[in-house]
Amino acid sequence: MDVINTVGRRKASVARVYMKAGGGQITVNGKDYKEYFPIANMQFNLEDPLNLVEGLKSWDIKVNVRGGGFKGQAEAIRLGISRGLVKADEENKPKLKAKKYLTRDARVVERKKYGKPKARKSFQFSKR
């Protein structure tokens, strides 16, 4: 395989991930991932699927991500990388599935309802 192309989604974020054999360089929207995600927890989200299958230094990954916030984007990229690792080698699937990295987290923000200030919050009730 030349280039592995996968998609990851989370909340409102969509990440297109392109993986090819290389030296371990990860770029997100044209920047290095450590520059794009300065928070260590989000960097860990991107690295963990690669560390799990001992492939951190064997893939060059280019990511285009749009929508949502930083956390949603990081988790969308994690899903895309995990799917790419399974496409590359089916033996990676049990390890990634055990950590739930292949599951699309479908939770999104609940819509606001009419007559309420937020989705579920109500105005203060007055008995008299």
Side-chain angles (χ1 to χ4, degrees), residues 28-29 31-39 65-66 70 73 77:
V28 180
N29 291 349
K31 296 180 182 177
D32 184 55
Y33 79 104
K34 291 188 177 181
E35 187 182 337
Y36 192 82
F37 295 113
I39 300 167
V65 65
R66 296 184 68 140
F70 286 122
Q73 286 185 351
I77 294 168

Coordinates of all heavy atoms in Angstrom, one line a residue, residues 28-29 31-39 65-66 70 73 77:
V28 N -0.5 18.3 11.4 CA -2.0 18.6 11.4 C -2.2 19.9 10.8 O -1.7 20.9 11.3 CB -2.5 18.5 12.9 CG1 -3.9 18.8 13.0 CG2 -2.2 17.2 13.5
N29 N -3.0 20.0 9.8 CA -3.3 21.3 9.1 C -2.0 22.0 8.7 O -1.9 23.2 8.9 CB -4.2 22.1 9.9 CG -5.6 21.6 9.9 OD1 -6.0 20.6 9.2 ND2 -6.4 22.1 10.8
K31 N 0.9 22.0 10.2 CA 1.8 22.3 11.4 C 2.2 21.0 12.0 O 1.4 20.0 11.9 CB 1.1 23.2 12.4 CG 0.7 24.6 12.0 CD 0.1 25.3 13.1 CE -0.4 26.7 12.8 NZ -1.1 27.3 13.9
D32 N 3.3 21.0 12.8 CA 3.6 19.8 13.6 C 2.6 19.7 14.7 O 2.0 20.6 15.2 CB 5.0 20.0 14.2 CG 5.5 18.8 15.0 OD1 5.5 17.7 14.4 OD2 5.8 18.9 16.2
Y33 N 2.2 18.4 15.0 CA 1.1 18.2 15.9 C 1.4 18.7 17.3 O 0.5 19.1 18.0 CB 0.8 16.7 16.0 CG 1.7 15.8 16.8 CD1 1.3 15.3 18.1 CD2 3.0 15.4 16.3 CE1 2.1 14.5 18.8 CE2 3.8 14.6 17.1 CZ 3.4 14.2 18.3 OH 4.2 13.4 19.1
K34 N 2.7 18.8 17.7 CA 3.0 19.4 19.0 C 2.8 20.9 19.0 O 2.6 21.5 20.1 CB 4.4 19.0 19.4 CG 4.6 17.6 19.7 CD 5.9 17.2 20.3 CE 5.9 15.7 20.6 NZ 7.1 15.2 21.2
E35 N 2.9 21.5 17.9 CA 2.6 23.0 17.8 C 1.1 23.2 17.7 O 0.6 24.1 18.3 CB 3.3 23.5 16.5 CG 3.2 25.0 16.4 CD 3.9 25.5 15.1 OE1 4.7 24.7 14.5 OE2 3.5 26.6 14.6
Y36 N 0.4 22.3 17.0 CA -1.1 22.5 16.8 C -1.8 22.2 18.1 O -2.8 22.8 18.5 CB -1.6 21.6 15.7 CG -3.0 21.9 15.2 CD1 -3.2 22.9 14.3 CD2 -4.0 21.1 15.7 CE1 -4.5 23.2 13.9 CE2 -5.3 21.4 15.3 CZ -5.6 22.4 14.4 OH -6.8 22.7 14.0
F37 N -1.4 21.1 18.8 CA -1.9 20.7 20.1 C -0.9 20.9 21.2 O -0.1 20.0 21.5 CB -2.4 19.3 20.1 CG -3.5 19.0 19.2 CD1 -3.3 18.2 18.1 CD2 -4.8 19.5 19.4 CE1 -4.3 17.9 17.2 CE2 -5.8 19.2 18.5 CZ -5.6 18.4 17.4
P38 N -0.8 22.1 21.8 CA 0.3 22.3 22.8 C 0.0 21.6 24.1 O 0.9 21.5 24.9 CB 0.3 23.9 23.0 CG -1.1 24.3 22.5 CD -1.5 23.3 21.5
I39 N -1.2 21.1 24.4 CA -1.5 20.5 25.6 C -1.1 19.0 25.5 O -1.4 18.3 24.6 CB -3.0 20.6 25.9 CG1 -3.4 22.1 26.0 CG2 -3.4 19.9 27.2 CD1 -4.9 22.3 26.0
V65 N -8.0 18.6 9.5 CA -9.1 18.5 10.4 C -9.8 19.8 10.4 O -9.2 20.9 10.3 CB -8.6 18.1 11.8 CG1 -7.7 19.1 12.4 CG2 -9.7 17.8 12.8
R66 N -11.2 19.7 10.5 CA -12.0 20.9 10.5 C -13.2 20.7 11.5 O -13.6 19.6 11.7 CB -12.6 21.1 9.1 CG -11.6 21.4 8.0 CD -12.3 21.7 6.7 NE -13.0 22.9 6.8 CZ -13.1 23.9 5.9 NH1 -12.5 23.6 4.7 NH2 -13.7 25.0 6.1
F70 N -10.7 21.8 20.1 CA -9.4 21.1 20.1 C -9.6 19.6 20.6 O -9.0 18.7 20.0 CB -8.4 21.8 21.0 CG -7.8 23.0 20.3 CD1 -7.9 24.2 21.0 CD2 -7.2 22.9 19.1 CE1 -7.4 25.4 20.4 CE2 -6.7 24.1 18.5 CZ -6.8 25.3 19.2
Q73 N -11.3 17.6 17.9 CA -10.4 17.3 16.8 C -9.3 16.3 17.2 O -9.0 15.4 16.4 CB -9.7 18.7 16.4 CG -10.6 19.6 15.7 CD -9.9 20.9 15.2 OE1 -8.7 21.1 15.6 NE2 -10.6 21.7 14.5
I77 N -8.9 12.7 15.2 CA -7.6 12.2 14.6 C -7.2 10.9 15.2 O -6.8 10.0 14.4 CB -6.5 13.3 14.9 CG1 -6.8 14.6 14.1 CG2 -5.2 12.8 14.5 CD1 -6.0 15.8 14.5

